[in-house]
Amino acid sequence: DTEVTQTPKHLVMGMTNKKSLKCEQHMGHRAMYWYKQKAKKPPELMFVYSYEKLSINESVPSRFSPECPNSSLLNLHLHALQPEDSALYLCASSQGDGKNEKLFFGSGTQLSVL
Amino acid sequence: AQSVTQPDIHITVSEGASLELRCNYSYGATPYLFWYVQSPGQGLQLLLKYFSGDTLVQGIKGFEAEFKRSQSSFNLRKPSVHWSDAAEYFCAVGGVYNFNKFYFGSGTKLNVKP
């Protein structure tokens, strides 16, 4: 199994809503990532969890709250988002041991904030 | 700081023609190098990677890339393009000092003419 599964595939939310994005992998990877990708742009790193601990936060606004309940799951909790937060949110994982790391991506959640 | 440059924003080739997508990086040591492909609204799929050793690496879907240290380049090639290769292609650099940080180029959009 070399898949990273993200749900939902599409999400529309208002600026006062609270929603969550979910990501799951069963490759035994110990590093998991959230990336944000705007149209026609490269992915931008948001958060990295390494061995279930938050290791990198790229100065992301607090309206985005990551959570790593266990080594296979990664969530991104969304609250009071702005229309400019509309983007494709990509989850990725990697082995996490620092040896020849490479990213495996999910298919993303297309988020629209109204 | 690490950076990766893809000088071509758009490239159009005819089906059956050869393809070369350019990628240059800026880093003091030899980085990990990757090429990813992305179809619209989808996640990124790893085409190939270079960690060390043989500078010509083979990937999936008939793609190959050559690492040239003297030119700080990692160009992607394919001898005969198929219409299904139309997509966005991202070159990426993996951090050596921080193995959880990957830097993406701005992408090259490949169009394939019938």
Side-chain angles (χ1 to χ4, degrees):
Chain A
D1 184 359
T2 58
E3 275 198 4
V4 176
T5 304
Q6 288 188 244
T7 55
K9 291 196 182 303
H10 301 275
L11 180 62
V12 180
M13 59 185 292
M15 290 190 284
T16 58
N17 292 158
K18 286 185 181 181
K19 297 286 185 182
S20 296
L21 309 184
K22 297 185 184 303
C23 175
E24 189 169 8
Q25 57 88 15
H26 295 289
M27 294 179 277
H29 289 173
R30 301 313 299 268
M32 296 187 77
Y33 308 71
W34 281 114
Y35 281 85
K36 173 183 177 180
Q37 187 180 26
K38 301 283 274 185
K40 303 185 189 304
K41 297 290 187 183
E44 297 175 9
L45 182 63
M46 300 174 72
F47 303 104
V48 181
Y49 273 84
S50 178
Y51 288 81
E52 298 152 56
K53 294 192 186 319
L54 183 65
S55 61
I56 296 176
N57 176 343
E58 294 283 87
S59 302
V60 179
S62 59
R63 58 185 183 269
F64 296 92
S65 175
E67 178 195 21
C68 189
N70 61 55
S71 60
S72 300
L73 293 174
L74 184 67
N75 298 322
L76 186 63
H77 303 297
L78 313 173
H79 173 56
L81 294 194
Q82 304 297 309
E84 59 264 28
D85 297 321
S86 299
L88 182 67
Y89 287 84
L90 293 163
C91 175
S93 69
S94 70
Q95 204 163 319
D97 60 3
K99 299 174 184 173
N100 300 340
E101 294 285 317
K102 51 187 180 287
L103 291 172
F104 291 82
F105 282 89
S107 56
T109 294
Q110 188 67 55
L111 174 67
S112 296
V113 182
L114 304 180
Chain B
Q2 300 180 75
S3 67
V4 55
T5 303
Q6 293 178 245
D8 304 305
I9 298 174
H10 289 103
I11 282 187
T12 298
V13 299
S14 298
E15 190 168 16
S18 63
L19 171 69
E20 182 169 30
L21 303 183
R22 295 182 291 164
C23 174
N24 293 94
Y25 64 90
S26 170
Y27 189 66
T30 300
Y32 300 156
L33 295 159
F34 309 87
W35 276 99
Y36 285 87
V37 61
Q38 185 179 33
S39 297
Q42 298 296 311
L44 281 74
Q45 182 182 22
L46 180 64
L47 283 176
L48 45 76
K49 60 196 180 292
Y50 173 79
F51 292 132
S52 65
D54 193 348
T55 56
L56 184 63
V57 293
Q58 302 297 322
I60 63 172
K61 306 185 180 188
F63 286 93
E64 66 177 26
E66 186 172 13
F67 168 57
K68 292 186 177 180
R69 186 191 307 273
S70 61
Q71 298 176 21
S72 297
S73 69
F74 188 58
N75 294 348
L76 181 71
R77 301 194 294 248
K78 187 170 185 178
S80 178
V81 169
H82 188 263
W83 63 266
S84 61
D85 293 325
E88 187 91 26
Y89 290 79
F90 291 98
C91 181
V93 171
V96 175
Y97 297 137
N98 186 328
F99 59 82
N100 288 139
K101 280 207 168 184
F102 296 80
Y103 299 88
F104 288 85
S106 53
T108 298
K109 178 96 185 293
L110 173 65
N111 294 315
V112 180
K113 290 192 301 186

